């Protein structure tokens, strides 16, 4: 086997077997990387192999993750791979968003068009495959909704029992409905995501249950292919910058690892900058970076973008490393900026869930502060599908979105209104032809 696990802490770097169930270093509790003795001698030839596989109907080649298997060679038995043809997501040019942000051109890679509607599928095919290689029968995760939806689907495909830990009342219904339909045992915990994460870590450490949060380094191997596929789609033309939302920081971590490995192996000769955008009040990475703190500065997270409502992200050190390797940066955007950017993405006919819109909001802000130049070649990664959280979108367009809202069967309190700058509210019209023609101006 040419894969092994290695502690990322510079003064430890312990190597351990890839089949250990531990998700952190047994000596120093550091995060782990999956490492390889890569067998790639001619990157140009490997790029051609990737391209040729697009014509193949082999299940591995049809997957936008396993098509690139030479860059994540931890599974030597193709029969063990659990795939749903994940990845294969489009890159769209977004002229409205470009104008809105101040960029000349902007591209959106839409990971929301994955089988379960988020980028988590890129990671979950790898994570559940590793669970199968380890003969696990039960898998678990804490989630703000998308990881759980994805894990539930892939576990169902693999015939494994899925247990999900979600913060009660804090995940969007689109996501909750998925895990219920895919048959996962769904535990709604009192408290927030960070508490759910703590519980699932403790329980999986002490039992046979296999943990599939992004602290699991195999998940991140799958998510590397978001970068690899993006580069392959662009004929290996390297963008200046990749912009990604930051929550538990798995995605940004995997982007950093992908870019570093592609560079070290000679696939690319420059590194696109990884720029991470957090919500203003769910900003632990930003705070840690600005304060130059050696420890994570945790926060109590608040944002309507529930996917990234995380105050104690597990992969923060890997995200720091990604920014260091690529000369990247982290910034924050307000709830108002997220809401308006989301509406603008919609105007390009694309659509995404709120967390994904941090990217376009962040680009606009960074153009204003001159961190990004208007000529830069930028790819923003949209992480989740618009239909995951329709309530947010409908409330925005009906001028009814509040930063703070409390429900007890019905809305009982609301504060801090978000302006519906680009509202497109539905019109109530009588079912009479004359009236409709009048509304249409005909
Ligand atoms: N965007 C969406 C739509 C997400 O679901 C998440 C994370 C992120 C961005 C942030 O990505 O954690 O890799 O930094 N959702 C997780 C979940 C936490 O449980 O579904 P990250």
């Amino acid at each position: 086997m040419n894969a092994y696990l290695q502690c990322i802490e510079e003064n430890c770097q312990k190597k351990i077997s890839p089949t250990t169930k531990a998700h952190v270093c047994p000596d120093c509790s550091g995060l782990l990387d999956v490492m390889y003795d890569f067998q790639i001698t001619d990157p140009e030839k490997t790029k051609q192999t990737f391209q040729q596989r697009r014509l193949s109907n082999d299940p591995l080649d049809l997957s936008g993750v396993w098509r690139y298997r030479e860059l994540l060679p931890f599974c030597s038995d193709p029969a063990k791979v659990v795939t749903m043809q994940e990845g294969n997501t489009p890159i769209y040019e977004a002229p409205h968003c470009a104008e809105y942000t101040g960029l000349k051109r902007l591209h959106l890679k839409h990971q929301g068009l994955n089988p379960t509607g988020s980028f988590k599928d890129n990671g979950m095919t790898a994570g559940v495959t590793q669970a199968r290689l380890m003969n696990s029968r039960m898998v678990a995760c804490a989630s703000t909704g998308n990881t759980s939806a994805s894990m539930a689907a892939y576990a169902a495909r693999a015939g494994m029992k899925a247990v999900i830990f979600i913060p009660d009342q804090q995940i969007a219904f689109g996501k909750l409905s998925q895990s219920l339909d895919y048959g996962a045992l769904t535990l709604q915990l009192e408290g927030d995501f960070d508490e759910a994460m703590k519980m699932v870590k403790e329980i999986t450490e002490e039992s046979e249950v296999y943990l599939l949060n992004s602290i699991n380094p195999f998940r991140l191997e799958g998510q590397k292919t978001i970068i690899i596929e993006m580069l392959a789609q662009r004929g290996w033309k390297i963008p200046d910058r990749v912009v990604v939302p930051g929550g538990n920081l798995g995605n940004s971590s995997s982007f950093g690892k992908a870019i570093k490995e592609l560079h070290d192996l000679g696939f690319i000769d420059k590194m696109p900058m990884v720029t991470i955008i957090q919500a203003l009040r769910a900003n632990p990475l930003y705070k840690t970076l600005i304060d130059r703190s050696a420890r994570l500065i945790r926060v109590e997270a608040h944002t309507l973008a529930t996917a990234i409502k995380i105050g104690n992200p597990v992969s923060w050190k890997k995200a720091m490393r990604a920014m260091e390797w690529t000369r990247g940066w982290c910034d924050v955007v307000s709830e108002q900026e997220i809401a308006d950017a989301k509406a603008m993405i919609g105007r390009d006919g694309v659509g995404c869930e709120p967390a994904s819109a941090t990217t376009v909001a962040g680009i606009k802000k960074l153009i204003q502060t001159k961190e990004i130049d208007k000529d830069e070649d930028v790819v923003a990664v949209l992480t989740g599908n618009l239909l995951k959280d329709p309530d947010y979108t409908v409330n925005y367009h009906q001028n009814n979105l509040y930063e703070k809202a409390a429900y007890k069967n019905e809305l009982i309190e609301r504060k801090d209104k978000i302006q519906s700058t680009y509202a497109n509210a539905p019109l109530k019209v009588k079912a009479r032809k004359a009236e409709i023609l009048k509304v249409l101006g005909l």
Side-chain angles (χ1 to χ4, degrees), residues 260-298:
K260 177 81 164 51
E261 285 175 351
L262 289 169
H263 192 257
D264 289 352
L265 288 165
F267 282 77
I268 53 176
D269 57 10
K270 89 171 189 193
M271 297 201 203
M273 293 175 272
V274 174
T275 301
I276 305 167
I277 310 293
Q278 298 201 296
L280 185 61
R281 294 198 298 138
N283 60 348
L285 184 72
Y286 179 73
K287 276 200 156 172
T288 307
L289 190 69
I290 292 295
D291 284 19
R292 297 170 189 266
S293 168
R295 287 171 176 271
L296 179 74
I297 303 178
R298 298 177 191 185

Coordinates of all heavy atoms in Angstrom, one line a residue, residues 260-298:
K260 N -1.1 22.2 -3.4 CA 0.3 22.0 -3.1 C 0.8 20.7 -3.8 O 1.9 20.6 -4.3 CB 0.4 21.8 -1.5 CG 1.8 21.4 -1.0 CD 2.6 22.7 -0.9 CE 3.9 22.5 0.0 NZ 4.7 21.4 -0.3
E261 N 0.0 19.7 -3.7 CA 0.4 18.4 -4.4 C 0.6 18.5 -5.9 O 1.5 18.1 -6.5 CB -0.6 17.3 -4.0 CG -0.4 16.8 -2.6 CD -1.5 15.8 -2.2 OE1 -2.5 15.6 -2.9 OE2 -1.4 15.2 -1.1
L262 N -0.4 19.2 -6.5 CA -0.3 19.4 -8.0 C 0.9 20.2 -8.3 O 1.6 19.9 -9.3 CB -1.6 20.2 -8.5 CG -2.9 19.4 -8.5 CD1 -4.1 20.3 -8.8 CD2 -2.9 18.2 -9.5
H263 N 1.3 21.2 -7.5 CA 2.5 21.9 -7.7 C 3.7 21.1 -7.5 O 4.6 21.1 -8.4 CB 2.5 23.2 -6.8 CG 3.5 24.2 -7.1 ND1 4.7 24.3 -6.4 CD2 3.5 25.1 -8.1 CE1 5.4 25.3 -7.0 NE2 4.7 25.8 -8.0
D264 N 3.8 20.4 -6.4 CA 4.9 19.5 -6.1 C 5.1 18.5 -7.2 O 6.3 18.1 -7.5 CB 4.8 18.9 -4.8 CG 5.0 19.9 -3.6 OD1 5.3 21.0 -3.9 OD2 4.7 19.5 -2.5
L265 N 4.0 17.9 -7.8 CA 4.1 16.9 -8.7 C 4.4 17.4 -10.2 O 4.5 16.6 -11.1 CB 2.8 16.0 -8.7 CG 2.6 15.1 -7.5 CD1 1.2 14.6 -7.4 CD2 3.6 13.9 -7.5
G266 N 4.3 18.7 -10.3 CA 4.6 19.3 -11.7 C 3.4 19.4 -12.6 O 3.5 19.6 -13.8
F267 N 2.1 19.3 -12.0 CA 0.9 19.5 -12.8 C 0.7 21.0 -13.1 O 0.2 21.4 -14.1 CB -0.3 19.0 -12.1 CG -0.5 17.5 -12.2 CD1 0.3 16.6 -11.4 CD2 -1.4 16.9 -13.1 CE1 0.2 15.3 -11.5 CE2 -1.5 15.5 -13.2 CZ -0.7 14.7 -12.4
I268 N 1.1 21.8 -12.1 CA 0.9 23.3 -12.3 C 2.2 24.0 -11.9 O 2.9 23.5 -11.0 CB -0.3 23.8 -11.4 CG1 -0.2 23.4 -10.0 CG2 -1.6 23.3 -12.0 CD1 -1.3 24.0 -9.1
D269 N 2.4 25.2 -12.5 CA 3.7 25.9 -12.2 C 3.4 27.1 -11.3 O 4.4 27.9 -11.0 CB 4.5 26.2 -13.4 CG 3.7 27.0 -14.4 OD1 2.6 27.5 -14.0 OD2 4.1 27.2 -15.6
K270 N 2.2 27.4 -11.0 CA 1.9 28.5 -10.0 C 0.7 28.1 -9.2 O -0.1 27.2 -9.6 CB 1.7 29.8 -10.7 CG 0.3 30.1 -11.1 CD 0.1 31.5 -11.6 CE -1.4 31.7 -11.8 NZ -1.9 32.8 -12.5
M271 N 0.6 28.6 -8.0 CA -0.5 28.2 -7.1 C -1.6 29.3 -7.0 O -1.3 30.5 -6.7 CB 0.1 28.0 -5.7 CG 1.1 26.9 -5.6 SD 1.1 26.4 -3.8 CE 2.8 25.7 -3.8
P272 N -2.8 29.0 -7.4 CA -3.9 29.9 -7.2 C -4.1 30.2 -5.7 O -3.9 29.3 -4.8 CB -5.1 29.3 -7.7 CG -4.8 27.8 -7.8 CD -3.3 27.7 -7.9
M273 N -4.4 31.5 -5.3 CA -4.5 31.9 -3.9 C -5.8 31.4 -3.4 O -6.9 31.6 -4.0 CB -4.5 33.4 -3.8 CG -3.1 34.0 -4.1 SD -3.2 35.8 -4.1 CE -3.7 36.2 -5.8
V274 N -5.8 30.7 -2.3 CA -7.0 30.2 -1.6 C -7.5 31.3 -0.7 O -6.9 31.7 0.3 CB -6.8 28.9 -0.8 CG1 -8.1 28.5 -0.1 CG2 -6.4 27.8 -1.8
T275 N -8.7 31.9 -1.0 CA -9.3 33.0 -0.3 C -10.6 32.5 0.4 O -11.5 32.0 -0.2 CB -9.6 34.2 -1.2 OG1 -8.4 34.6 -1.8 CG2 -10.2 35.3 -0.4
I276 N -10.6 32.5 1.8 CA -11.7 31.9 2.5 C -12.6 33.0 3.1 O -12.1 34.0 3.6 CB -11.1 31.1 3.7 CG1 -10.1 30.1 3.2 CG2 -12.2 30.5 4.5 CD1 -9.2 29.4 4.3
I277 N -13.9 32.9 2.9 CA -14.8 33.9 3.4 C -15.7 33.3 4.4 O -16.3 32.3 4.2 CB -15.6 34.5 2.2 CG1 -14.8 35.0 1.0 CG2 -16.5 35.7 2.8 CD1 -13.8 36.1 1.3
Q278 N -15.7 34.0 5.6 CA -16.6 33.6 6.7 C -17.7 34.7 6.9 O -17.6 35.8 6.5 CB -15.8 33.5 8.0 CG -14.7 32.4 7.9 CD -14.3 31.9 9.3 OE1 -13.7 32.7 10.0 NE2 -14.5 30.6 9.5
A279 N -18.7 34.2 7.6 CA -19.8 35.2 8.0 C -19.2 36.0 9.2 O -18.5 35.5 10.0 CB -21.0 34.5 8.4
L280 N -19.6 37.3 9.2 CA -19.1 38.3 10.1 C -19.2 37.8 11.6 O -18.2 38.0 12.4 CB -19.9 39.6 10.0 CG -19.4 40.8 10.8 CD1 -18.0 41.2 10.4 CD2 -20.4 41.9 10.6
R281 N -20.3 37.1 12.0 CA -20.4 36.7 13.3 C -20.2 35.1 13.5 O -20.7 34.5 14.5 CB -21.7 37.1 13.9 CG -21.7 38.7 14.0 CD -22.7 39.2 15.0 NE -24.0 38.9 14.5 CZ -25.0 38.5 15.3 NH1 -24.8 38.4 16.6 NH2 -26.2 38.2 14.8
A282 N -19.5 34.6 12.5 CA -19.1 33.1 12.6 C -17.7 33.1 12.0 O -17.4 32.4 11.0 CB -20.1 32.2 11.8
N283 N -16.8 33.8 12.7 CA -15.5 34.2 12.1 C -14.3 33.7 12.9 O -13.3 34.5 13.0 CB -15.5 35.7 12.0 CG -15.6 36.4 13.3 OD1 -15.9 35.8 14.3 ND2 -15.3 37.7 13.4
P284 N -14.3 32.5 13.4 CA -13.1 32.1 14.2 C -11.8 32.1 13.5 O -10.8 32.6 14.0 CB -13.5 30.7 14.7 CG -14.5 30.2 13.7 CD -15.2 31.4 13.3
L285 N -11.8 31.8 12.2 CA -10.5 31.7 11.4 C -10.0 33.2 11.2 O -8.8 33.5 11.4 CB -10.7 31.0 10.1 CG -9.4 30.9 9.3 CD1 -8.5 29.8 9.9 CD2 -9.7 30.5 7.8
Y286 N -10.9 34.0 10.8 CA -10.6 35.4 10.6 C -10.0 36.1 11.8 O -8.9 36.7 11.8 CB -11.8 36.2 10.1 CG -11.6 37.7 9.9 CD1 -10.9 38.1 8.8 CD2 -12.0 38.6 10.8 CE1 -10.6 39.4 8.5 CE2 -11.8 40.0 10.5 CZ -11.1 40.4 9.4 OH -10.8 41.7 9.2
K287 N -10.6 35.8 13.0 CA -10.1 36.4 14.2 C -8.7 35.9 14.6 O -7.9 36.6 15.0 CB -11.1 36.0 15.4 CG -12.3 36.9 15.5 CD -12.9 36.8 16.9 CE -13.6 38.0 17.3 NZ -14.4 37.9 18.5
T288 N -8.6 34.6 14.4 CA -7.3 33.9 14.7 C -6.2 34.5 13.8 O -5.1 34.8 14.3 CB -7.4 32.4 14.5 OG1 -8.5 32.0 15.2 CG2 -6.2 31.7 14.9
L289 N -6.5 34.7 12.5 CA -5.5 35.2 11.6 C -5.2 36.7 11.9 O -4.0 37.0 12.0 CB -6.2 35.2 10.2 CG -5.3 35.4 9.0 CD1 -4.3 34.3 8.8 CD2 -6.1 35.6 7.7
I290 N -6.2 37.5 12.2 CA -5.9 38.9 12.4 C -5.1 39.1 13.7 O -4.3 39.9 13.8 CB -7.3 39.7 12.5 CG1 -8.0 39.7 11.2 CG2 -7.2 41.1 13.1 CD1 -7.2 40.5 10.1
D291 N -5.5 38.3 14.7 CA -4.8 38.4 16.0 C -3.4 37.6 16.0 O -2.7 37.6 17.0 CB -5.6 37.8 17.1 CG -6.8 38.7 17.5 OD1 -7.1 39.6 16.7 OD2 -7.3 38.5 18.6
R292 N -3.1 37.0 14.9 CA -1.9 36.2 14.8 C -1.8 35.2 16.0 O -0.7 35.0 16.5 CB -0.6 37.1 14.7 CG -0.5 38.0 13.5 CD 0.6 39.0 13.7 NE 0.5 40.0 12.7 CZ 1.2 39.9 11.5 NH1 1.9 38.9 11.3 NH2 1.1 40.9 10.6
S293 N -2.9 34.6 16.3 CA -2.9 33.8 17.5 C -2.4 32.4 17.1 O -2.7 31.9 16.1 CB -4.3 33.7 18.0 OG -4.5 32.7 19.0
A294 N -1.7 31.8 18.0 CA -1.2 30.4 17.8 C -2.3 29.4 18.1 O -2.2 28.2 17.7 CB 0.0 30.1 18.6
R295 N -3.3 29.8 18.8 CA -4.4 29.0 19.1 C -5.7 29.5 18.5 O -5.8 30.7 18.2 CB -4.7 29.0 20.7 CG -3.7 28.2 21.4 CD -3.9 28.5 22.9 NE -3.0 27.6 23.7 CZ -3.2 26.4 24.1 NH1 -4.4 25.9 23.8 NH2 -2.3 25.7 24.7
L296 N -6.6 28.6 18.2 CA -7.9 29.1 17.6 C -8.6 30.0 18.5 O -8.8 29.6 19.7 CB -8.7 27.9 17.2 CG -10.1 28.2 16.6 CD1 -9.9 28.7 15.1 CD2 -11.0 27.1 16.6
I297 N -9.1 31.1 18.0 CA -10.0 32.0 18.8 C -11.4 31.5 18.5 O -12.0 31.8 17.5 CB -9.8 33.4 18.5 CG1 -8.3 33.8 18.8 CG2 -10.7 34.3 19.4 CD1 -7.9 35.2 18.5
R298 N -12.0 30.8 19.4 CA -13.4 30.3 19.2 C -14.4 31.4 19.3 O -14.1 32.4 20.1 CB -13.7 29.2 20.2 CG -12.8 28.0 20.2 CD -13.2 27.1 21.3 NE -12.2 26.1 21.4 CZ -12.3 25.1 22.2 NH1 -13.3 24.9 23.0 NH2 -11.3 24.1 22.2

